[in-house]
Amino acid sequence: MWIWIRYRFYSGFITACLLFVIVAQVRGDGAYSILEVPFHTRSLSMAGVGTADPNGRDASAFNPALLALGDSESQHFFLSLLSFPAGIKSGAVEWRKNWRGFPFAISVRHINYGDFTELDEDGNTIGDFGADESWISAATSYPLLPGVALGGSAGLLVSQVEDVSATLGLISVGTAIEISRYDLHLGFAINNLGITLSSYTQYNETIPTSIAGGITKKLKYLPMEISVDGSWWNKEERGVIRAGGEFNLPHDLYLRWGTSSYKLGQMTQNLYRDIITETALGVGLKIDKLVVDLGINYGGVAGVILGVGTSWKF
């Protein structure tokens, strides 16, 4: 990742970033792997699935076309906080509104890596430094035909390590289809097309552009909605399949689960650990127009991610 900046070794930060890459279930080598992770607790507890889920809290990032197929007539406010191992924390806020038939969303996402010890070339401690990354974006969707929508998003990502930074300009595009007869949604998106506006060094890190497709189906005989997604990063030649679901229980209670194909890369010959690795669980409770979400994602050797989130409809 960032090996040498202004002739100093940031060993603590490098360790934290590598750990975050593992925790976030990302197998790329770029410095902007945070673009690939879920930020809302509901998404976390469903293993990051959401390319075709019109109720997804991260729809503006996963597939902006979904904004037109969800509850687009009301205003929504989303807030979520996630806690990763090694003291890494992330947060996100989002506001959604329908303006003259165009649903749009404004989002701010942030990750704080914490404080680290700074060493000189001889390994002597010369102080502490902080590191964080912020991603600000706006997304909109247009209902092209009944049950068919197109969407796009644009934003800036700023990555900061002490007094040096890197900045990206990013866009994503997607389409979503609703087949009401079968309670079915289909989604397709190209995420994180971008350019490097400024870099830490003369070398520009690879931007993790991905292609994603998914399906979300409301089951006929169970109060459950199930989703399956697939994503592919062509530059890194890697991919992942995710599956997740949400049970809608009485008294406005929601139970969620998820898993991903990253499980296959962490087999340890320990049956219990192999079963629960890359497993996510969560619960949501709706109180009038307020929904409170709790989630947990067990990443195997990477540890546990915990999340709490909420959403208001007004």
Side-chain angles (χ1 to χ4, degrees):
M1 199 169 280
W2 301 287
I3 306 300
W4 180 274
I5 301 175
R6 294 192 177 185
Y7 307 105
R8 298 172 181 171
F9 286 102
Y10 290 116
S11 58
F13 177 63
I14 294 170
T15 302
C17 288
L18 292 177
L19 176 60
F20 182 72
V21 167
I22 297 173
V23 170
Q25 304 171 343
V26 176
R27 301 301 183 265
D29 297 323
Y32 309 112
S33 298
I34 67 162
L35 292 170
E36 306 169 31
V37 303
F39 272 82
H40 197 277
T41 302
R42 182 179 183 274
S43 304
L44 173 75
S45 60
M46 296 171 66
V49 74
T51 306
D53 182 4
N55 298 315
R57 307 295 192 262
D58 281 314
S60 61
F62 292 167
N63 184 357
L66 293 169
L67 295 175
L69 299 184
D71 184 7
S72 61
E73 297 302 320
S74 303
Q75 293 190 64
H76 297 264
F77 180 79
F78 302 105
L79 172 66
S80 186
L81 299 172
L82 304 183
S83 177
F84 298 81
I88 301 171
K89 300 184 185 301
S90 72
V93 294
E94 181 171 297
W95 174 54
R96 295 184 190 176
K97 180 178 174 60
N98 191 307
W99 184 74
R100 296 183 179 181
F102 289 88
F104 72 89
I106 298 175
S107 309
V108 178
R109 302 173 176 89
H110 181 78
I111 289 180
N112 188 306
Y113 291 100
D115 295 322
F116 305 94
T117 300
E118 182 179 351
L119 308 177
D120 62 16
E121 298 178 21
D122 298 321
N124 300 314
T125 300
I126 58 175
D128 297 325
F129 71 97
D132 56 22
E133 294 181 307
S134 298
W135 180 17
I136 303 173
S137 65
T140 188
S141 180
Y142 176 70
L144 185 64
L145 296 169
V148 179
L150 301 176
S153 68
L156 288 175
L157 184 144
V158 178
S159 182
Q160 187 84 23
V161 182
E162 197 184 25
D163 58 348
V164 292
S165 64
T167 305
L168 301 182
L170 300 164
I171 62 171
S172 297
V173 294
T175 183
I177 301 172
E178 178 183 9
I179 306 176
S180 301
R181 180 180 178 182
Y182 299 104
D183 287 323
L184 184 71
H185 287 83
L186 304 175
F188 176 80
I190 303 175
N191 292 319
N192 303 324
L193 294 163
I195 58 173
T196 301
L197 302 177
S198 64
S199 182
Y200 289 105
T201 64
Q202 294 181 347
Y203 172 74
N204 292 335
E205 296 281 352
T206 300
I207 300 175
T209 302
S210 64
I211 299 174
I215 180 172
T216 294
K217 175 75 169 71
K218 186 176 181 180
L219 302 185
K220 187 175 182 179
Y221 299 107
L222 283 175
M224 178 182 179
E225 190 173 75
I226 188 169
S227 299
V228 178
D229 286 3
S231 298
W232 177 256
W233 293 265
N234 187 60
K235 292 181 181 179
E236 294 88 353
E237 296 186 347
R238 58 187 175 88
V240 62
I241 297 174
R242 299 182 177 93
E246 181 178 66
F247 286 94
N248 188 351
L249 302 179
H251 307 295
D252 292 324
L253 181 66
Y254 302 91
L255 296 180
R256 303 171 182 127
W257 63 273
T259 189
S260 78
S261 61
Y262 288 135
K263 175 194 294 286
L264 303 178
Q266 296 195 53
M267 294 301 179
T268 63
Q269 307 304 317
N270 183 312
L271 181 60
Y272 172 74
R273 176 174 291 180
D274 291 344
I275 290 175
I276 66 173
T277 292
E278 299 296 343
T279 296
L281 297 171
V283 61
L285 178 63
K286 183 179 180 183
I287 307 171
D288 194 15
K289 295 183 178 181
L290 173 70
V291 178
V292 179
D293 300 307
L294 299 174
I296 182 171
N297 190 314
Y298 178 63
V301 296
V304 174
I305 311 170
L306 299 175
V308 58
T310 186
S311 62
W312 292 277
K313 176 180 176 181
F314 54 97

